[in-house]
Amino acid sequence: YFKLKPLRMDSNQIKAQFKQADQHLAAAKSELNRPAEDVVPFMVCRSTRYSISHYLQGFLLKHGIEHEEDATVEVLLEKCRAVDPAFSSFDLSAITFKKDDEYSALFDEMQNCVDLAEYAKQLVSE
């Protein structure tokens, strides 16, 4: 039995989500900017995934939409699309891994994930 806590429009919570998203995005970019042999693909992919998740959660909070704490990025995206049709152009196919312990070691795929997180940031801040 699981009970959702009532959602309050807490601007600090919203800011915290966006701040965490920004930090994860910065971590992914920083990792990707290291010399190729030093890049840890797992870190890039996990950080971009967390970043996107936090951006979407912040957007939903901003609009007073409830979501499960452990909702997947796909579920969060569907909820965002219901609020704003601009999210219909947000394509998660760049993220070829589904779980936190999966990742891509290909530079182009890692870069695509970082680009997708940047796009999420643009969408939520409009």
Side-chain angles (χ1 to χ4, degrees):
Y1 170 66
F2 179 76
K3 188 174 182 206
L4 280 174
K5 291 176 263 180
L7 189 66
R8 291 177 319 207
M9 280 301 298
D10 184 347
S11 63
N12 289 337
Q13 256 186 317
I14 296 165
K15 284 180 192 158
Q17 287 292 341
F18 289 143
K19 184 176 181 187
Q20 281 186 302
D22 289 342
Q23 289 170 341
H24 285 298
L25 179 56
K29 287 172 152 180
S30 168
E31 187 65 33
L32 204 53
N33 285 330
R34 296 171 64 183
E37 63 275 8
D38 294 339
V39 172
V40 180
F42 171 75
M43 291 295 295
V44 176
C45 296
R46 190 183 65 177
S47 294
T48 54
R49 200 179 167 76
Y50 286 168
S51 174
I52 292 167
S53 181
H54 283 294
Y55 283 128
L56 298 181
Q57 288 177 43
F59 178 83
L60 291 171
L61 281 173
K62 197 163 120 179
H63 291 277
I65 310 287
E66 288 190 18
H67 62 278
E68 305 267 332
E69 283 283 319
D70 57 354
T72 65
V73 174
E74 293 79 9
V75 168
L76 295 170
L77 180 57
E78 282 308 309
K79 288 185 178 243
C80 289
R81 285 178 175 154
V83 174
D84 185 346
F87 283 92
S88 61
S89 63
F90 194 84
D91 181 8
L92 286 172
S93 64
I95 300 178
T96 55
F97 43 90
K98 296 295 177 215
K99 297 184 181 84
D100 287 341
D101 59 349
E102 296 176 355
Y103 59 88
S104 169
L106 300 174
F107 181 84
D108 287 349
E109 288 184 9
M110 289 187 288
Q111 183 61 57
N112 288 343
C113 292
V114 169
D115 292 345
L116 193 60
E118 289 276 8
Y119 186 48
K121 181 177 183 169
Q122 281 177 9
L123 281 174
V124 302
S125 59
E126 288 177 354

